Amino acid sequence: MEAKFVRLDEIANRFGYKNLTPSVDLHEVKIYHRNINRPAFQLTGFYDYFDNQRVQVVGQAEHEYIIRLDPKVAKERLEKLFSYSFPAAIIARGIQTEPYVIETAAKHGIPILSTEKTTALVITEFMKWMNEQLAETVSLHGVLANVYGEGLLITGPSGIGKSEAAIALIKRGHRLVADDLVDVSKISEDMIIGKSPALTKNFVELRGLGVVDVMSLFGVESIMEYSPIDMIISLEEWDGTNDYDRLGLKEEYEEILGLKIVKHTIPIRPGRNLAVIIETAAVNNRQKKMGYNAAQELCERVTQEIHKHRQERNNKESK
Amino acid sequence: MIRREITIELAKGLEARPVAVFVQVASQYDCSIIVEYRDKRVNAKSIMGMMSLGIAQGEKVTVIADGPDEKNAVAGVEKYLTSKE
């Protein structure tokens, strides 16, 4: 598989960067690296550990350094920097560079973009967005809904009632991200987010009714563009021989893109109000994240009670 | 109907985890099973009920089973309660 990349024109359009080197076609420039480099060290002549795959971000420091150099030295330094053929440079703070900077860049076919934004903002917005664009992705079957701020991936065999659960949750004021197919991407080491494929966004398929448009039926408040995935709710047919988790002491997990996500298996049986159970699972998960585990609390109470009973008996026996 | 007095031998008594297992054992039988401990009577198939008892190792309980498979039920329940695990 070819490594993921983002075309520079997408980046420029997204953040409103101006192209100072019109001779270079930004669409043809591919960025494979999410990190940036401030080329200050390189301008002083230090090239060890220089990663020329990265976009260079130029701020006040680099600019002031260059203009204080002897112009001849400055040109040599720039010539050397551009000879490393990095993918692009972004000049922040609307800094007006010397014309020879642009000329040298154009000569090497390296695009220079310009923005009024501060250097720190350029770096953060660039890296955050690139992280999302270059993230590992996978498509999963299921419904993604956000319930009380918890992103729940509802999975289970076809026909078990995932979409019905989604509608029930929407009617109770929660938000739908995707029905049936969820595009999941790992945006950081500890977070995966899911969204709907553009084509099926806002649509839910209900057996017997067909496809319904959730946003036009229930309003903008019923949908969400994307959501982190905090928990998996796996629905299955009630099976009398399966011992479902009765205490909630041990957590089950499923791995998505190398990340362990808590999973609750919920048996379906007529008369169980699925939406309410899912809501409860969501708030209980939130409470656990806040450091309180109800199952553990009950365990401790029982253990204390046992201890008390044992002492009472010992006291009686010793009398 | 069968009544039988059983002394709990489970090392930790009926803590939360052993209760979960106990309830599973009891739930295999169709007959009704009641556990009497001190002044309480609890359905052996109820997890919250069984946990509320807080029974320590060495305590005596009375198990009352009533139904077609009561014999097996009492035997099964006794086997678990008198295991050391």
Side-chain angles (χ1 to χ4, degrees), chain A residues 135-150:
Chain A
E136 264 183 277
T137 56
V138 66
S139 286
L140 297 175
H141 266 284
V143 160
L144 180 59
N146 192 285
V147 177
Y148 299 128
E150 295 288 298

Side-chain angles (χ1 to χ4, degrees), chain A residues 75-87:
Chain A
K75 281 180 190 167
E76 281 169 19
R77 298 275 175 89
L78 281 161
E79 183 64 36
K80 176 150 191 206
L81 180 64
F82 283 109
S83 74
Y84 276 83
S85 58
F86 50 84

Side-chain angles (χ1 to χ4, degrees), chain B:
Chain B
M1 190 178 75
I2 307 180
R3 287 176 73 95
R4 186 172 301 167
E5 192 165 82
I6 299 169
T7 303
I8 310 296
E9 290 180 37
L10 292 160
K12 290 185 168 175
L14 278 168
E15 278 191 350
R17 281 184 189 83
V19 164
V21 180
F22 175 79
V23 168
Q24 233 175 295
V25 171
S27 299
Q28 293 166 6
Y29 305 100
D30 293 327
C31 63
S32 85
I33 309 174
I34 300 288
V35 174
E36 280 184 351
Y37 172 65
R38 298 190 171 190
D39 54 352
K40 288 183 187 147
R41 281 169 67 88
V42 162
N43 179 353
K45 298 174 187 178
S46 151
I47 198 155
M48 295 304 252
M50 282 306 298
M51 253 191 286
S52 74
L53 297 179
I55 310 172
Q57 185 194 31
E59 302 276 290
K60 282 187 175 66
V61 299
T62 307
V63 173
I64 304 150
D66 191 5
D69 54 356
E70 57 190 34
K71 246 188 177 153
N72 290 340
V74 171
V77 162
E78 181 172 30
K79 186 169 167 237
Y80 180 67
L81 292 178
T82 55
S83 66
K84 302 270 180 189
E85 131 188 37

Side-chain angles (χ1 to χ4, degrees), chain A residues 176-197:
Chain A
L176 174 81
V177 182
D179 178 49
D180 200 26
L181 198 62
V182 186
D183 286 341
V184 181
S185 47
K186 188 178 181 186
I187 57 160
S188 73
E189 279 314 298
D190 57 2
M191 193 191 259
I192 52 172
I193 61 163
K195 57 181 183 185
S196 171

Side-chain angles (χ1 to χ4, degrees), chain A residues 145 147 152 154 164-175 274-276 278-279:
Chain A
V147 177
L152 310 181
I154 304 167
E164 288 77 2
I167 296 290
L169 288 168
I170 288 167
K171 294 295 284 177
R172 298 176 67 87
H174 304 291
R175 286 171 290 174
L274 201 48
V276 174
I278 293 173
E279 272 180 343

